[in-house]
Amino acid sequence: MSPVSAPRQPPRRRSRHLSLRLTLIVPFIIQIAVAVSLIGYLSFKNTQHTVNNLSAQILDRTDRLVAQHLDCFLSTAQGINQEITNVLEMQLLDRDDLTTIGRLLWQQAKIHPEVGYLNYGLVTGEYVGAGHYPNALSISETSARTQWKNVDYSTDAQGQRTQMFRVSDYNYREEAWYENAIRLQRAVWTPVYLWDDPTSGQEISLAAASPLYNANRELVGAIGVDLKLTRIQQYLQTLDISPSGKIFIVERDGTMIASSGDQMPFVEINGQAQRLNVEQSRDPAVQQTAQFLQQKFGSFAAIQQPQTLQIHRHDIPFAGLQTDRQFVHVMPQRDRFGLDWLVVITVPESDFMEQVHENARLTLILCLGTLALTIAIGTITARHLTQPILRTIHAADALSQNNWQQPIPDSPTRELTQLSRAFNRMATQIRQSFEQLAFIAHHDALTGLLNRRAFEQELGAAIAKRQYHPSYQFAVLFLDLDYFKLVNDSYGHLVGDQLLIAVRRRLQSCVRETDAIARFGGDEFTILLDGIASPDAATEIAQRIIHTLQACFSIEGREIFINTSVGIVFSSLTGDNTTEILRDADTALYQAKASGKGNYVVFNCTMHTQTVERLQLETDLRRALDRQEFIVYYQPIFDIITGQMTGFEALVRWQHPQRGLITPDKFIPLAEETGLIAALGEWVMQQACQQMRLWQEEFQLELSLTMSVNISTQQILHANFVSQLQQVLQETQLNPQVLKLEITESSVLSHEDMTRIRFEQLKNLGVQVSIDDFGTGYSSLSYLHRLPVHTLKIDRSFVNRLGAHGENSEIVEAIVMLAHRLGIEVVAEGVETTEQMEQLRVIRCTQAQGYLFSPPRSASDITTQLIAQKSARTP
Ligand code: C2E
Ligand code: CA
Ligand code: CA
């Protein structure tokens, strides 16, 4: 596996998607904001309500206080009148005893400071009064005693007159109290009047006036009690309504009785005191309220019922209201003595709003504080939640860049810990899968050896190493199991697989651990001999491998023999890249196979051209069948004794368009390697049988005259072999006993089980079997007992060596003897000289084949020869 590189984060593009953090925080904040605003709104609404309630309460309370106070205040004067009237009517006092009556009045004046002056006047002209005048209590009298002048007396603490201090022309008959009481003859209030008090200055007052009757219900005089209304003004000013709340009392024509907003209920104009009209009030609240009421009701006189009103800013466009709203309460104040005033209380909303605003500010601050706290908590929470997720995302990123060494730490949240653990598990699994994949990618599934790609990498590393260390040498062995395909075809793939595994074990035992072994293809193996000293060392190992693999394999109860061919390249004698080195090794392997299987060959430069040729040949061979470039030659076989022809051997040739006639040595191994042999073999069989049938018919050949056809190992092991043969025989109508199949001794030996089965099948068909190249197998002859063999063909190499004087004839003689004893025919191959033929005759070999008699010839040549023979026979 490649070492993990430092994770490089890709430049993250701003995505159009919302971030997780925002998704978490925004709705949270919106919710809180909505909740906070709702609370704010509700509390505001609530304050409005509270303000209204509060104002109503204040107005009510003030209203009641004022009403009580006025009742109490006004009843003083009327009460005094009533009391004096009672005393006189009950005759407890003499009506004319002005001294006593004066003292009584003095007493009352002393008790009631709100009372200005108490008056008692008779229709007869007598008058007595008492009160705070000019600056202390005094009594005044008009009577005969005072010569009908009005005389003022100062008094002592008991109300005794002490001295006379003033004489005036005061005429009580002109006073409002007397005039009203006499005229109306009932208890009434005089109109409000302004008078200049010598001590307190200007005062507004009114008097309670009552008529006096004698026992005959005849009007005898009147009583009048002055009330200082300025006291009401003072009282109103002490009333605590609200910080800017005002209260004022007016007569129905708008003339002010008292106002908490004004210094006094009158004004000085040109040194002359005048009563104040409410619209002249210096207090804007009072003034505006009065304006509003007059505007609303037309006049004060129209207001008959108590009213509670609200003045809004837009109600008085002419004089800006200080606040948005003004609460107003209007209450008529009447009594049975004819009093008819209006008490007006006015309270601005701002008085309450101050508090309300304070509350609202507090609420707002609290709300904002809550919001800020919420956002802070939200942010921290979101961070807390998103941090592990972001970590997971980064880890996933890293993972996608092959960096899986970063386990995500646990987070404090259970679910997120589960997530990170699941992620870590997944990453581990992916890593393991990748390691497995990497193993699979570099190894052969069956044997567990390196595969082609991995081997090429190893080889690449060795090549690179050689560039830096010129003394370093290596060798590559290219192995091919001869006939492995046959094992596969005949015993099945399972056995083939087992064989490959067994081969791997033996290969591993032959090399060092540092040497890399690879399964390169189906039955091809490559071995990189690392740091090897010389080509000799490599060949030594190759020999060892060949030898080790020659030993019998026991697989699934079967004994299997295989051969191995090895091509060797040595680093100093080959190319300098993987492709060239492997190509050269392959070339050497091919040479090894061509030189006889089970061999090794060390690559040299000349081999290269051969390889190219061979490749060309292979390409051509694949097309040759279609192009019908093959031809079959026939070599006759003779009876040495009689000189009669006993049969033919079919030998294939390739009429190459450029290279001319090519002998089978050059292409049969190639056809076997490429698998083309099956089709080619079948074609030769077809041709040979057909030709033999033709000759039989044309020349009435005897049935003893046979046609031998060479069969390659692959062919005979093929499952369809027998059925194909049957088909050919059927098609060509050739008698099976004419046909002889030549099978090499080596192929019989390496696949004894299979060949025995085939030989039995062929025997049943009536087809004969020859053992070709007999004697080259270097093996026991025991199989001859076991197999139904018809003919032995002694290999040309033995026949060659037969000397003119009987030298080297022992082996051939032994073979011939053995064959005779076993009842097997013998054919000597490659007989070239008469000496050889003589020797064969001596050792009683019956048949021969060779250039001495006839080389392989084309069918037409043979036909010509047969025609000649036929004409020679017939006279
Ligand atoms: P083989 O079966 O041993 O065939 C005999 C070979 O010896 C033939 O070579 C033949 O031309 C040659 N020969 C015959 N008499 C003499 C002689 O006096 N002196 C010498 N030096 N050679 C002689 P050829 O035709 O080149 O065939 C070579 C081999 O190719 C054959 O050896 C056989 O194993 C194979 N072969 C040929 N045709 C076929 C075929 O159709 N199928 C298969 N599977 N193999 C074939
Ligand atoms: Ca042959
Ligand atoms: Ca032969």
Side-chain angles (χ1 to χ4, degrees), residues 728-775:
V728 171
L729 286 172
Q730 212 170 3
E731 278 169 16
T732 55
Q733 295 290 304
L734 187 73
N735 190 326
Q737 70 194 53
V738 172
L739 188 62
K740 264 190 183 172
L741 302 188
E742 294 195 1
I743 291 147
T744 60
E745 187 180 27
S746 57
S747 106
V748 172
L749 288 176
S750 54
H751 303 283
E752 215 190 305
D753 286 351
M754 202 61 212
T755 41
R756 187 185 309 143
I757 296 169
R758 288 281 180 268
F759 283 16
E760 287 296 337
Q761 289 172 323
L762 292 174
K763 189 185 166 188
N764 291 342
L765 268 181
V767 174
Q768 299 177 8
V769 173
S770 297
I771 301 296
D772 207 351
D773 302 345
F774 188 80

Side-chain angles (χ1 to χ4, degrees), residues 855-873:
R857 288 204 188 119
S858 67
S860 57
D861 282 1
I862 299 286
T863 307
T864 318
Q865 190 188 334
L866 285 175
I867 293 168
Q869 274 180 17
K870 192 180 173 185
S871 55
R873 268 208 306 275

Side-chain angles (χ1 to χ4, degrees), residues 740 768 789-793 819 823-827 846-847:
K740 264 190 183 172
Q768 299 177 8
V789 173
H790 191 271
T791 309
L792 291 184
K793 295 188 81 173
I824 298 173
E825 285 184 15
V826 186
V827 179
T846 47
Q847 294 175 70

Side-chain angles (χ1 to χ4, degrees), residues 710-823:
N710 291 288
I711 300 297
S712 109
T713 322
Q714 276 192 44
Q715 275 176 280
I716 195 144
L717 293 178
H718 203 281
N720 291 342
F721 177 69
V722 178
S723 60
Q724 270 178 6
L725 180 62
Q726 270 179 309
Q727 201 180 338
V728 171
L729 286 172
Q730 212 170 3
E731 278 169 16
T732 55
Q733 295 290 304
L734 187 73
N735 190 326
Q737 70 194 53
V738 172
L739 188 62
K740 264 190 183 172
L741 302 188
E742 294 195 1
I743 291 147
T744 60
E745 187 180 27
S746 57
S747 106
V748 172
L749 288 176
S750 54
H751 303 283
E752 215 190 305
D753 286 351
M754 202 61 212
T755 41
R756 187 185 309 143
I757 296 169
R758 288 281 180 268
F759 283 16
E760 287 296 337
Q761 289 172 323
L762 292 174
K763 189 185 166 188
N764 291 342
L765 268 181
V767 174
Q768 299 177 8
V769 173
S770 297
I771 301 296
D772 207 351
D773 302 345
F774 188 80
T776 56
Y778 311 111
S779 184
S780 74
L781 302 170
S782 54
Y783 68 92
L784 289 177
H785 294 281
R786 300 196 290 269
L787 298 178
V789 173
H790 191 271
T791 309
L792 291 184
K793 295 188 81 173
I794 303 171
D795 191 70
R796 195 166 69 229
S797 56
F798 298 107
V799 179
N800 266 342
R801 280 180 274 166
L802 290 178
H805 310 288
E807 313 94 282
N808 303 324
S809 63
E810 299 84 2
I811 297 172
V812 182
E813 201 174 347
I815 295 171
V816 172
M817 275 171 60
L818 173 78
H820 284 328
R821 202 161 305 153
L822 293 171

Side-chain angles (χ1 to χ4, degrees), residues 555-573:
I555 287 160
E556 309 241 319
R558 289 194 171 84
E559 295 202 329
I560 297 174
F561 291 89
I562 51 165
N563 262 332
T564 312
S565 305
V566 184
I568 305 171
V569 277
F570 196 70
S571 52
S572 58
L573 303 172

Side-chain angles (χ1 to χ4, degrees), residues 76 125 244 291 372 378 380 405 421 431 545 579 697 711 746 769 829 853:
T76 312
S244 322
Q291 278 172 2
I380 292 167
Q405 313 288 7
R421 285 186 186 168
R431 190 184 65 230
I545 289 172
T579 319
E697 279 178 1
I711 300 297
S746 57
V769 173
E829 284 186 317
F853 309 103

